[in-house]
Amino acid sequence: MNVMAEKNLSEDFETKLAVFMLGGQPYAIDIMKIKQIIRPLKITKLPKSPDFLEGMINLRGVFIPVIDMRKRFQMDARDPKQEGKVIIASVDHRIVGVMVDEVTEVIPVPKAEIQPPPRVIRGVESTYLLGVCRYQEEILLILNLDEILTSEEKSTLIALSGPPPKPVEKRG
């Protein structure tokens, strides 16, 4: 088997996940959803916005809504001394900031090791989970960012973030 075919074969069986912490619990998202990871910038609060929407940041001239995942998951507030990180990610083809406690690492996970969420946590509350896998000595919850918000909440973010990015034209 040639090297190129071997590489494509391995890519079909593995996914890379960015592991982040929220309240001491590890979570992950597929790195293909991530544009970059930044320190928090000055956040402009928005009146009458959902509790979990921290506000907007200006990242190199682009206004991006920021979701606080602790608030989204109804966790205790972050220690004010803890800075956290903002994951700039694609959510339903829109750019959104996702505030987390810290991003720890990127790990390769064989797709065969990712299991569906257990029945105990399935339901409306767990529609945001893609699956679970083992991580060190804990269970790693893999989030589906496209399902983290309700349709109404997505509409609010769409109004805030403007039109979706234009596709890049490929020149041949």
Side-chain angles (χ1 to χ4, degrees), residues 5-108:
E6 196 172 303
K7 182 178 184 227
N8 289 337
L9 185 62
S10 69
E11 286 175 357
D12 290 339
F13 295 105
E14 183 177 271
T15 189
K16 290 189 179 173
L17 301 173
V19 179
F20 61 91
M21 302 300 285
L22 278 178
Q25 166 76 39
Y27 293 85
I29 56 176
D30 188 325
I31 64 165
M32 297 306 290
K33 301 290 284 178
I34 297 174
K35 304 298 179 199
Q36 66 186 84
I37 299 168
I38 62 171
R39 288 191 171 115
L41 301 173
K42 181 179 180 345
I43 295 177
T44 301
K45 301 283 185 189
L46 300 169
K48 296 184 180 182
S49 61
D51 285 344
F52 63 87
L53 183 61
E54 277 299 294
M56 302 279 288
I57 60 172
N58 179 350
L59 182 62
R60 293 184 294 280
V62 178
F63 300 110
I64 300 172
V66 177
I67 298 167
D68 185 327
M69 292 302 285
R70 277 182 167 259
K71 289 180 181 176
R72 183 67 184 135
F73 291 160
Q74 299 172 347
M75 296 178 164
D76 292 335
R78 178 180 299 99
D79 180 347
K81 298 174 194 163
Q82 185 182 20
E83 183 178 57
K85 295 287 185 200
V86 177
I87 300 171
I88 306 299
S90 173
V91 176
D92 262 356
H93 309 290
R94 305 285 175 168
I95 302 302
V96 174
V98 179
M99 187 176 285
V100 300
D101 294 348
E102 67 177 312
V103 178
T104 58
E105 62 185 317
V106 173
I107 59 170

Side-chain angles (χ1 to χ4, degrees), residues 151-172:
S151 297
E152 185 178 316
E153 292 164 345
K154 286 178 188 176
S155 295
T156 300
L157 288 185
I158 288 169
L160 293 172
S161 60
K166 294 179 183 175
V168 177
E169 288 184 27
K170 292 184 179 181
R171 295 184 181 177

Side-chain angles (χ1 to χ4, degrees), residues 88-135:
I88 306 299
S90 173
V91 176
D92 262 356
H93 309 290
R94 305 285 175 168
I95 302 302
V96 174
V98 179
M99 187 176 285
V100 300
D101 294 348
E102 67 177 312
V103 178
T104 58
E105 62 185 317
V106 173
I107 59 170
V109 176
K111 288 185 180 179
E113 289 185 19
I114 298 173
Q115 299 176 16
R119 290 178 185 254
V120 178
I121 58 174
R122 283 193 182 161
V124 177
E125 313 82 30
S126 65
T127 57
Y128 56 82
L129 291 178
L130 279 175
V132 297
C133 67
R134 196 163 64 164
Y135 171 71

